[in-house]
Amino acid sequence: MALLSRDFFAQTDTLRVARHLLGKHLHVRELHTGEVCTLRITETEAYCGTTDRACHAFGGRRTARNEVMYGPPGYVYIYLCYGIHHLLNFVTHQQGEPHAILIRAGEPVAGLQTMLTRRSMQRYEPRLAAGPGSLARALGLTVADSGRYGCEPHRIWVTDAPLIDPEAILEGPRVGVEYAEEDARLPWRFRIRQ
DNA sequence: TTGGCGATTGACT
DNA sequence: GTCAATCGCCAAG
């Protein structure tokens, strides 16, 4: 299927992009070996710019860490959470509008053995890439990859797949953002119904 | 320069 | 169900 272009991520309705990313294939190449691991995206969350209290760019906050969110769409923003977990996001909307989509979960499509090794697992279990920290670990991604372009088949990219039927998409509040007050309740988390 | 804390996970009761 | 791990970030001093 076709590579998702910058135009896909440049759409200004980040909630729509977050829904449309469900079912797409996320690929990460190990640059030393050339091996590609692929996950089918099953869960996403939208973070919508300077007015979203749960977003790292709330209130226009702009630091070295989140600078990539202010850049053009289609780039990846990866940051370290709780000192342990690396979390993968794709930057959306236009340059200067710091929106992003957190990739929270996926199912293996290719490169299973390598992902199992990275997760210290003997055989496939759903927890392989369920949760954003686990997903990044399975794919071998760290903050060293933050700022990479995510629309060319080099290190990180996404390919198209048929749209998921809206009836099969569950919406709910975002996870772990209780501090965001009223914005914590916004149904900006999207999952494929099992 | 410092201290509180987080878009989480896994181990344990 | 509870809770510790673990460290870079960043607002405040």
Side-chain angles (χ1 to χ4, degrees), chain A residues 17-84:
Chain A
V17 179
R19 286 189 195 92
H20 285 195
L21 273 176
L22 294 175
K24 303 293 190 269
H25 285 186
L26 168 63
H27 310 270
V28 176
R29 185 194 313 275
E30 183 59 61
L31 296 177
H32 295 295
T33 65
E35 183 181 11
V36 176
C37 290
T38 302
L39 292 175
R40 174 177 180 259
I41 298 170
T42 58
E43 184 174 336
T44 60
E45 270 178 6
Y47 288 86
C48 297
T50 58
T51 59
D52 176 1
R53 300 188 89 90
C55 181
H56 286 175
F58 174 68
R61 191 159 58 109
R62 185 168 184 162
T63 67
R65 180 177 72 153
N66 71 8
E67 180 63 30
V68 64
M69 292 183 76
Y70 286 85
Y75 284 74
V76 299
Y77 170 44
I78 303 177
Y79 71 94
L80 186 64
C81 187
Y82 293 98
I84 306 171

